[in-house]
Amino acid sequence: AQSVAQPEDQVKVAEGNPLTVKCTYSVSGNPYLFWYVQYPNRGLQFLLKYITGDNLVKGSYGFEAEFNKSQTSFHLKKPSALVSDSALYFCAVRDVVGYSTLTFGKGTMLLVSP
Amino acid sequence: EAGVAQSPRYKIIEKRQSVAFWCNPISGHATLYWYQQILGQGPKLLIQFQNNGVVDDSQLPKDRFSAERLKGVDSTLKIQPAKLEDSAVYLCASSLDGGEGYNEQFFGPGTRLTVL
């Protein structure tokens, strides 16, 4: 069975500092990996995805993520955080081989202080 | 491009009552998903449609939940009768996926259900 772990319930950073939100995954084969962001009282918004190719993926709002197959990780990063980045972030995975649905992590709340 | 539309945005009902949610996906999107998001958890897939056929409903509590997607476009999710533990946000999403699995999903704003 596939699974996603987001080990931190909350990440706090100061505006202007770099941020990292961690994600590790488990699938039988190779993964498709996604990051979504959820602002209060709104649905999830797609940030970026890894399908194949370059391990460093760039997405919306200056976010990027690095796929590391040996560590089964897909950490979300941003060089300089903004207060407006404060939101709930979800990592999700699905197996490339065969049919599987998308499995989400429990989410990490990012708090960026002024 | 219009996004995924859902209604109602909020619903409060008594336990054992019934409730229905409506979703209109992005035009041209073949696949439609219903998720349940309980506070403090990630979304959990309830049912996935491809066009108007069910692809996966393994986590749908079929004794009380039902869903349909008429003509491969709009969809409704129904709960009858509701239990206290059904209190959650119900998210609808759609994607271009025709089974490939790598297309991102676009989510609606959700319906917040409170069962008293």
Side-chain angles (χ1 to χ4, degrees):
Chain A
Q2 60 191 35
S3 64
V4 175
Q6 293 183 242
E8 302 150 319
D9 290 337
Q10 193 176 85
V11 170
K12 292 182 179 180
V13 297
E15 188 172 36
N17 284 356
L19 69 88
T20 299
V21 182
K22 296 179 180 178
C23 171
T24 58
Y25 67 89
S26 174
V27 293
S28 300
N30 290 316
Y32 293 140
L33 291 155
F34 302 81
W35 276 101
Y36 287 84
V37 59
Q38 187 172 35
Y39 297 100
N41 298 316
R42 296 176 66 177
L44 280 71
Q45 295 178 29
F46 168 75
L47 274 180
L48 50 78
K49 65 181 176 183
Y50 171 81
I51 300 175
T52 187
D54 286 343
N55 290 339
L56 185 63
V57 178
K58 294 186 183 297
S60 307
Y61 313 120
F63 283 93
E64 59 187 29
E66 186 166 11
F67 171 61
N68 188 315
K69 188 172 184 177
S70 63
Q71 298 185 5
T72 62
S73 67
F74 190 56
H75 301 331
L76 182 69
K77 300 182 180 184
K78 187 174 182 181
S80 179
L82 299 172
V83 172
S84 57
D85 292 330
S86 298
L88 187 57
Y89 290 80
F90 291 96
C91 182
V93 68
R94 71 193 309 172
D95 200 323
V96 171
V97 177
Y99 175 79
S100 73
T101 57
L102 197 60
T103 298
F104 285 85
K106 63 178 175 61
T108 298
M109 179 63 72
L110 174 66
L111 298 174
V112 182
S113 56
Chain B
E1 175 180 87
V4 176
Q6 287 187 249
S7 66
R9 291 294 310 276
Y10 304 90
K11 190 73 176 179
I12 300 174
I13 61 173
E14 301 278 337
K15 60 182 179 182
R16 291 188 290 275
Q17 285 186 326
S18 63
V19 63
F21 312 127
W22 174 82
C23 174
N24 183 246
I26 292 174
S27 177
H29 280 193
T31 306
L32 185 147
Y33 313 80
W34 282 103
Y35 289 89
Q36 180 191 58
Q37 186 178 16
I38 293 173
L39 188 64
Q41 299 180 20
K44 181 185 83 171
L45 181 72
L46 292 174
I47 188 167
Q48 178 176 336
F49 293 94
Q50 189 168 319
N51 297 309
N52 60 351
V54 175
V55 175
D56 191 313
D57 63 357
S58 58
Q59 298 193 86
L60 187 72
K62 298 181 185 62
D63 57 335
R64 298 184 300 106
F65 285 65
S66 64
E68 60 181 4
R69 189 181 185 194
L70 299 175
K71 301 180 181 178
V73 182
D74 292 10
S75 178
T76 56
L77 176 70
K78 297 179 181 178
I79 307 175
Q80 182 179 13
K83 293 185 175 181
L84 296 176
E85 58 261 36
D86 298 332
S87 293
V89 175
Y90 290 85
L91 295 167
C92 179
S94 68
S95 78
L96 286 167
D97 259 350
E100 305 87 8
Y102 52 70
N103 289 294
E104 58 269 30
Q105 297 178 21
F106 294 83
F107 285 80
T111 297
R112 183 176 298 278
L113 174 67
T114 302
V115 182
L116 302 176

